[in-house]
């Protein structure tokens, strides 16, 4: 059983998907607008979001980027749009899966279960003495719990999920701060994180800056 936020403006489709998912044992909350979806994911913990793109108040692609700015909750796009370039763009923007309408309830359930399995497998991140529980939004370093703001936790878990990789600055900004691309915002949050992790830019333990490229998170040597 999972808690599902269904974002679908067509009341007939919304009712049909709600019945199908409820029949599978899920708890479903349906909304018709992107702004309602953003309020919901900010105020409540859902296991997965099913997101239509053709919303009346905001394009679903923009809604996806805004959702990604506040939560790591898996997002499955469910839409009639089948443009391959658009699908790739949305997957790169943070969607976890993509279904083209019409689809069967069995197909949707199978995709949801696959996304939920991946989310469960990825909820615990361990790098050296740093442990992150993505689901509980809790992080500890050397056994001491870190007091992190929402954005600090998002940045920490985003980099930890790609440990060992050099993550480009532009990619971090696009994923976590989609409404603006101010490099100083990233630098300030990195500075705050370093302080809480007990390190400095000149003597990094976990967060290593690759000048002119991005940031790489590794375990201390």
């Amino acid at each position: 059983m999972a808690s599902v936020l269904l974002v679908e403006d067509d009341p007939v489709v919304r009712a049909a998907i709600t019945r199908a998912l409820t029949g599978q044992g899920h708890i479903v909350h349906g909304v018709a607008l992107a702004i309602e979806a953003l309020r919901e994911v900010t105020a409540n913990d859902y296991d997965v979001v099913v997101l239509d793109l053709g919303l009346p108040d905001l394009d679903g692609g923009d809604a996806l980027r805004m959702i990604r700015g506040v939560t790591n909750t898996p997002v499955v796009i469910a839409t009639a749009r089948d443009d391959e370039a658009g699908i790739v763009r949305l997957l790169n923007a943070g969607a976890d899966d993509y279904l083209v309408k019409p689809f069967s309830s069995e197909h949707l359930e199978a995709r949801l279960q696959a996304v939920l399995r991946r989310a469960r497998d990825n909820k615990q991140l361990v790098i050296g003495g740093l442990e992150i529980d993505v689901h509980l939004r809790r992080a500890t370093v050397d056994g001491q719990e870190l007091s992190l703001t929402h954005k600090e936790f998002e940045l920490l878990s985003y980099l930890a999920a790609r440990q060992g990789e050099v993550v480009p600055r532009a990619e971090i900004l696009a994923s976590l701060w989609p409404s603006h691309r101010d490099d100083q915002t990233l630098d300030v949050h990195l500075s705050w994180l370093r302080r809480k992790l007990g390190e400095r830019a000149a003597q990094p333990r976990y967060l290593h800056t690759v000048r002119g490229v991005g940031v790489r998170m590794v375990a201390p040597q």
Side-chain angles (χ1 to χ4, degrees):
M1 181 181 74
S3 59
V4 182
L5 176 63
L6 172 60
V7 190
E8 168 62 63
D9 67 309
D10 187 319
V12 175
V13 175
R14 188 168 64 248
I17 294 177
T18 298
R19 282 195 303 272
L21 293 179
T22 301
Q24 294 287 345
H26 302 303
I27 299 171
V28 182
H29 180 73
V31 297
L33 301 175
I35 190 64
E36 293 176 322
L38 290 170
R39 289 197 194 104
E40 283 294 323
V41 297
T42 302
N44 301 292
D45 290 326
Y46 288 93
D47 294 314
V48 64
V49 177
V50 178
L51 176 66
D52 181 34
L53 295 181
L55 302 173
D57 62 332
L58 188 67
D59 182 77
D62 294 326
L64 169 66
R65 284 182 280 274
M66 295 176 74
I67 289 171
R68 271 291 159 264
V70 298
T71 181
N72 284 327
T73 301
V75 178
V76 176
I77 302 294
T79 181
R81 301 180 192 176
D82 60 358
D83 172 60
E84 183 175 351
I87 293 172
V88 171
R89 185 168 57 252
L90 287 164
L91 291 171
N92 287 335
D96 294 88
D97 207 340
Y98 195 110
L99 283 85
V100 177
K101 297 175 181 175
F103 48 78
S104 67
S105 59
E106 292 81 9
H107 188 181
L108 174 59
E109 174 65 11
R111 293 295 187 93
L112 289 184
Q113 290 299 333
V115 166
L116 290 167
R117 281 195 299 273
R118 292 199 298 271
R120 285 192 291 268
D121 291 342
N122 292 333
K123 76 174 184 177
Q124 293 282 354
L125 301 170
V126 179
I127 305 175
L130 176 64
E131 298 184 14
I132 304 169
D133 190 314
V134 176
H135 184 69
L136 295 179
R137 301 187 66 82
R138 181 175 181 267
T140 62
V141 63
D142 299 328
Q144 298 296 313
E145 185 164 359
L146 299 176
S147 177
L148 302 175
T149 66
H150 180 87
K151 276 298 184 183
E152 287 169 356
F153 184 86
E154 293 293 325
L155 177 58
L156 182 67
S157 56
Y158 185 83
L159 294 172
R162 299 176 60 178
Q163 59 178 296
E165 298 181 36
V166 178
V167 185
R169 294 175 63 89
E171 186 174 326
I172 299 171
L173 286 166
S175 297
L176 301 184
W177 289 275
S179 60
H180 63 283
R181 303 295 172 86
D182 182 4
D183 273 9
Q184 188 175 3
T185 298
L186 176 57
D187 290 333
V188 168
H189 281 79
L190 284 171
S191 177
W192 291 340
L193 265 184
R194 285 193 172 101
R195 189 178 305 125
K196 293 179 179 181
L197 289 169
E199 63 180 61
R200 296 182 294 115
Q203 294 180 307
R205 297 179 64 219
Y206 292 96
L207 299 172
H208 296 254
T209 298
V210 180
R211 191 176 298 278
V213 183
V215 183
R216 181 167 62 100
M217 175 171 273
V218 295
Q221 299 298 314

